[in-house]
Amino acid sequence: MKKFMTIAALGVVLAVAGCGKADGPVKREAGNWKNDVKLVKFEVPGMPDEMKAGMKQMMEGASGLDQCLSQEQVDKEDLAAELSKAQAGGGECKWSKKDVAGGKIDIAGTCTAQGQTIDMKMVGTMEAKKSDVTTTIKGKAPTGGDMEMVIQNVATHTGPCKAGAAPVAG
């Protein structure tokens, strides 16, 4: 299950990393960003309900986090470039679709990490002060059968950076 979480985390990070170039770049505004993460769907055949509840709690634990995005980070953001070099848990992703322009995000591909292969899809919107991206992850569960996870991440610009806000990695 750790493999799925590593790849899922990659999806969420990429989903809020920035946006592409075709219709002109949509760049996030520098300042404080609050992320709200919701585990919309989590189906893993054979996984006990207690483990599912724990996984949901862990994923949604990222909600409400404040992150500070500097102007320098805004200037460097390029989701298309990040996708091109994306690696998850020592693996890699191959993207069959990378539409990240005009405020829209529509990405699909296959990621392989630690011997596990999953299909990942990210769709949503990116604006200067808000993004709303849903990531769908499908693959074979370690317990057997098909696994599906759907994560929604809404990031909102809330003003200048706050004291104590974590800097955005980049």
Side-chain angles (χ1 to χ4, degrees):
M1 193 52 23
K2 186 176 180 184
K3 295 175 202 173
F4 284 120
M5 298 318 312
T6 301
I7 294 172
L10 170 70
V12 172
V13 168
L14 290 174
V16 298
C19 226
K21 302 182 183 287
D23 294 338
V26 175
K27 294 286 188 178
R28 293 189 292 169
E29 191 169 303
N32 193 74
W33 282 79
K34 182 176 182 175
N35 286 301
D36 290 308
V37 180
K38 180 180 179 185
L39 187 58
V40 177
K41 184 176 187 179
F42 187 63
E43 293 182 6
V44 181
M47 178 178 271
D49 289 341
E50 312 83 58
M51 286 183 72
K52 287 181 185 180
M55 197 64 69
K56 181 174 183 174
Q57 184 178 10
M58 184 177 80
M59 289 299 297
E60 292 182 354
S63 283
L65 293 178
D66 285 311
Q67 292 186 310
C68 177
L69 181 65
S70 71
Q71 186 61 49
E72 181 182 2
Q73 289 169 310
V74 168
D75 294 342
K76 290 180 180 179
E77 278 190 328
D78 184 351
L79 181 58
E82 290 300 316
L83 287 171
S84 295
K85 64 183 181 184
Q87 294 187 342
E92 64 180 44
C93 298
K94 295 187 188 321
W95 305 106
S96 57
K97 185 180 211 179
K98 291 193 296 188
D99 296 332
V100 289
K104 302 282 185 204
I105 297 172
D106 190 0
I107 301 165
T110 301
C111 297
T112 304
Q114 303 169 4
Q116 186 83 27
T117 299
I118 58 105
D119 292 320
M120 185 183 305
K121 181 177 179 183
M122 292 174 267
V123 294
T125 58
M126 173 66 80
E127 300 169 10
K129 293 191 176 204
K130 184 175 182 180
S131 66
D132 185 346
V133 180
T134 300
T135 303
T136 301
I137 299 165
K138 294 181 179 182
K140 292 292 180 192
T143 56
D146 295 327
M147 185 283 295
E148 182 176 6
M149 184 183 329
V150 179
I151 305 161
Q152 181 182 24
N153 185 334
V154 177
T156 307
H157 183 271
T158 60
C161 287
K162 297 178 179 181
V168 173

